[in-house]
Each structure stands twice: as structure tokens, then as C-alpha cells.
Amino acid sequence: PAKVSTVPPLDVRAAREKVDNQLANVNRFIDVLGPIAQGIEDLDAQAGTKPLSKTAADSNAANKRKVVGAIRNLKIGISQLESEFRTKASLAKYLPQISGMTDLMAQAEDLAIAGKFVASKDPLRGVAGKLTDTLGVMPR
């Protein structure tokens, strides 16, 4: 008997592509964030022992704002994706894997706002894990 391959519904295929794109975004962000986060925290520690130059202090403050803003932008996309899985019946069966990503993004944002930029990567890794798990159960 010939093997019949079934193609998943269009909205499932489209959602899979969105999950894949968000996973790439989150992983790229984590890779870029690492050295920036460490640099920010190193300068903060240095500022605790001796005053920073105005240029260094201004640059560090700008980097902090950029990182928090970037996390917020990432959170918007992740939140929209999670919402799509909650509202579309065809995606509901994948909700257990993807659910909770918005909360993890909020944790990352809160940590960054609190000046814990290195620690903010942990919830982002959790988001990447959920996206990976979701891809693992979605049909190709």
C-alpha cells in the first residue's frame, strides 16, 4: 500500500513557522544579550567603587534602556503567538507546550528593570525551551 502523507492544516503550518521564527528571535537575542548584560553589570559594579565618567554612565544607562525595550518588543511577539494558540481551535492541542511564555517574558523584563540583566536570560531560555517543545509536537 502506498503511504499517504497528510499535510497539516494551513493555520497549523503558519503557526509552526511563527513558532520557528520566534525561537530564532529569542535565541539570537540571548546570544546578543550575554556580553551586553555582563558589560552593563560590570559597569554598575565599577560605579559602586568609583564614579564613572559621564560618557560611560550615559552609555550604560542607554544600554539598559535598549535592553529593556528589546525585551518588551520580544514580549509583544511572544504574547501574540501564545494568544493565537489560546484562541484558535486548531492550535489548542499545542497549548500545554507553549503556555506560560508571556509570564516568562514578563519575568525577564522585571529582572532587566531591576538591573539583573544577566539573570534576565534565564526566563528567556525558558521561552526558548517552550518554543522548542512546541515545534517538537507540531506536524511538519
Side-chain angles (χ1 to χ4, degrees):
K3 185 178 180 232
V4 178
S5 66
T6 56
V7 175
L10 180 60
D11 51 350
V12 173
R13 291 190 318 248
R16 181 181 172 78
E17 190 173 316
K18 288 177 189 175
V19 170
D20 196 40
N21 289 341
Q22 286 296 350
L23 178 59
N25 291 343
V26 170
N27 282 334
R28 189 168 46 249
F29 187 79
I30 291 168
D31 291 345
V32 169
L33 179 62
I36 294 170
Q38 193 60 58
I40 288 170
E41 290 190 19
D42 289 349
L43 270 178
D44 280 349
Q46 201 179 353
T49 58
K50 64 180 171 128
L52 295 176
S53 70
K54 176 157 176 32
T55 309
D58 290 350
S59 174
N60 207 33
N63 282 340
K64 289 177 184 181
R65 287 190 300 276
K66 285 180 195 163
V67 170
V68 171
I71 290 173
R72 284 187 178 138
N73 288 338
L74 201 54
K75 185 174 83 173
I76 291 167
I78 292 292
S79 178
Q80 289 170 341
L81 182 62
E82 188 173 340
S83 178
E84 190 174 329
F85 276 75
R86 288 188 190 289
T87 55
K88 287 189 177 169
S90 59
L91 302 176
K93 65 180 167 189
Y94 311 113
L95 197 54
Q97 286 78 25
I98 212 161
S99 186
M101 290 192 316
T102 303
D103 293 340
L104 287 168
M105 288 303 305
Q107 288 173 24
E109 182 183 5
D110 290 345
L111 286 164
I113 290 168
K116 297 180 175 147
F117 293 92
V118 174
S120 74
K121 291 191 307 182
D122 291 336
L124 293 173
R125 285 189 189 101
V127 169
K130 286 184 168 292
L131 290 165
T132 301
D133 292 348
T134 303
L135 285 175
V137 296
M138 291 184 84
R140 291 190 175 269

